Amino acid sequence: MANTEGGKLWGGRFLGDTDPMMEKFNASIAYDQRMWNADIRGSKAYVKALEKAKLVTSDEMNQISHGLDQISVEWSKGVFVIKPEDEDIHTANERRLKELISAPAGKLHTGRSRNDQVVTDMRLWLRDAITTLTDDALQLMSTMVERAAAEIDVLFPGYTHMQRAQPIRWSHWILSHAVALSRDVDRLLEIKKRVNVLPLGSGAIAGTPFDIDRELLMRELGFDGISLNSMDATGQRDFVAEFLFWASLCLTHLSKMAEDLMLYSTKEFSFVSLSDAYSTGSSLMPQKKNADSLELIRSKAGRVFGNCAGFMMTLKGLPSTYNKDLQEDKEAMFDCYDTVHAVLQVTTGVMSTLKINPGVMKAALSPDMLATDLAYYLVRKGVPFREAHGISGKAVFAAESKNIALNQLTLEDLSAVSPLFGGDVSSVWDYRSSVEQYSAPGGTAKSSVAVQVEQLRDWLQKRTQ
């Protein structure tokens, strides 16, 4: 009850009971309880700083630390009992500590505010979450890179504007998405550096009036640095916004890959077949095999975008320092983590079990995709590319006018377009030769793709050491 000082961390100034609806509206324990471990870790470090500042005795420190260990065991075993008055994870843990050790528990919050406590918990929690997501992304990348290495000889159509463009290697397509993921991993590791800054010791707004050793807290909790300004430390959520944007961009990349695979898995394409383990059926149509895993990967991107946009709208109207609006940070952060964690794992499963149909892929290649090669043929004979492009376009038009494939134009037909076409033009109509000419770094030639595989293997090895 609000009129009982022991019931709330802020109860002394209030006389009446809080409206039950307001109690429920104000509480965050339903979701912030997942930070129980971070909250206990922060408190165990803080009591050491209190003891060093002679604000608790060594015996009190040991009692508090032992009590926190008991609470940790209760949470670990799933037997911690949340009570109606437990507004949030901090209140719950401190209430339970008082039940276990009585009076010394009341000293734990000396010089500390929930403002610096909650943001410390969040940074500790997110730091661990980033480690997990990094491992997930690296596992997916490794799966993709090794698949690209194994299927390097498979050719299929590359598309721009959803139209057949040029022949490429299937492995080149896989690696294009692996490279995007590598950027996601690098961004996440950069964000982790900014997450790993200690806010504890900032108090509510003005700092702490006690001799709290923040360097000790930094070392105890494994932070890389200490926040510079107490007002900023308790009121900013840049690290959450960055994480939400990172999740949005990462799922943009995975959504794009899922969209491609959905198209490739349709009967109209039939380039790939999803494993039954990552497909579902229809309640009405027995023949259906739906790529629900890919559809859900695609849809989850919208969910994460919504979290990011919603939280940014919350932030943009706030005055300085802490406001209760910031309670919205945790649900957005937790949901984005849960979503990306699941998506990365499912995508790894899809990519590790996917079956390709090389024959269908090869059959989808068409001579019109070699129109650029026809232009390059002329370039190699000294024709400026812009002129060669125009000549090749005329050849395409001639084939369309005759309702035949580009490679069915006779030498006579081609010579009518340009006298530079000779008997050796027949060498243009070979898909593998076409692909092999793109041997510059980053290209789709086998040698270039093999280099990409090795570079990504090296990249992965450095980040998994």
Side-chain angles (χ1 to χ4, degrees), residues 174-417:
I174 295 175
L175 295 179
S176 72
H177 295 288
V179 169
L181 273 171
S182 74
R183 293 194 301 272
D184 292 327
V185 170
D186 282 341
R187 281 190 203 93
L188 190 56
L189 294 175
E190 282 296 318
I191 292 170
K192 189 175 184 179
K193 295 177 185 177
R194 290 185 286 279
V195 169
N196 206 29
V197 176
L198 173 79
L200 191 57
S202 297
I205 179 173
T208 177
F210 302 111
D211 189 20
I212 299 297
D213 187 341
R214 299 190 72 203
E215 294 281 345
L216 169 66
L217 292 172
M218 180 186 73
R219 291 191 301 271
E220 286 290 323
L221 294 171
F223 284 102
D224 294 330
I226 295 173
S227 58
L228 185 63
N229 180 284
S230 61
M231 293 176 67
D232 177 70
T234 56
Q236 67 99 341
R237 292 297 186 272
D238 293 7
F239 68 99
V240 177
E242 277 195 271
F243 175 66
L244 300 183
F245 173 74
W246 172 86
S248 300
L249 188 56
C250 179
L251 289 203
T252 298
H253 295 148
L254 295 178
S255 177
K256 181 188 295 186
M257 184 170 75
E259 174 68 15
D260 280 358
L261 288 173
M262 268 184 279
L263 291 171
Y264 296 162
S265 69
T266 61
K267 295 293 185 182
E268 287 72 18
F269 281 79
S270 294
F271 291 170
V272 303
S273 299
L274 263 66
S275 165
D276 286 353
Y278 294 94
S279 307
T280 65
S282 166
S283 62
L284 176 66
M285 298 166 283
Q287 84 281 8
K288 293 292 295 296
K289 180 178 177 179
N290 299 326
D292 282 8
S293 55
L294 298 173
E295 292 172 20
L296 287 170
I297 290 167
R298 183 176 59 183
S299 71
K300 296 299 183 184
R303 179 188 184 112
V304 170
F305 297 168
N307 282 327
C308 183
F311 186 60
M312 291 299 290
M313 288 300 293
T314 297
L315 290 179
K316 68 93 185 170
L318 297 184
S320 297
T321 72
Y322 185 81
N323 296 269
K324 196 57 177 271
D325 311 54
L326 292 177
Q327 187 161 290
E328 295 297 308
D329 55 9
K330 285 169 281 299
E331 286 187 284
M333 180 179 74
F334 295 151
D335 189 69
C336 278
Y337 166 76
D338 291 340
T339 302
V340 178
H341 183 42
V343 166
L344 288 169
Q345 290 178 304
V346 170
T347 308
T348 300
V350 169
M351 290 304 296
S352 63
T353 59
L354 192 74
K355 291 183 179 179
I356 63 170
N357 302 311
V360 176
M361 290 175 163
K362 183 178 180 181
L365 298 170
S366 54
D368 59 297
M369 299 176 70
L370 299 173
T372 305
D373 300 68
L374 197 62
Y376 289 158
Y377 167 89
L378 295 170
V379 166
R380 292 184 175 100
K381 290 182 176 287
V383 180
F385 176 75
R386 189 52 56 206
E387 182 181 341
H389 184 281
I391 294 171
S392 180
K394 290 178 181 179
V396 170
F397 179 77
E400 290 177 347
S401 298
K402 292 176 177 287
N403 198 29
I404 59 175
L406 186 60
N407 65 340
Q408 291 180 332
L409 289 173
T410 64
L411 182 56
E412 182 180 357
D413 294 331
L414 289 170
S415 296
V417 176

Side-chain angles (χ1 to χ4, degrees), residues 3 13 30 38 106 145 170 174 256 269 301 367 369 398 401 439 446:
N3 61 351
R13 179 253 182 260
V145 170
W170 160 246
I174 295 175
K256 181 188 295 186
F269 281 79
M369 299 176 70
S401 298
S439 58
K446 184 173 183 176

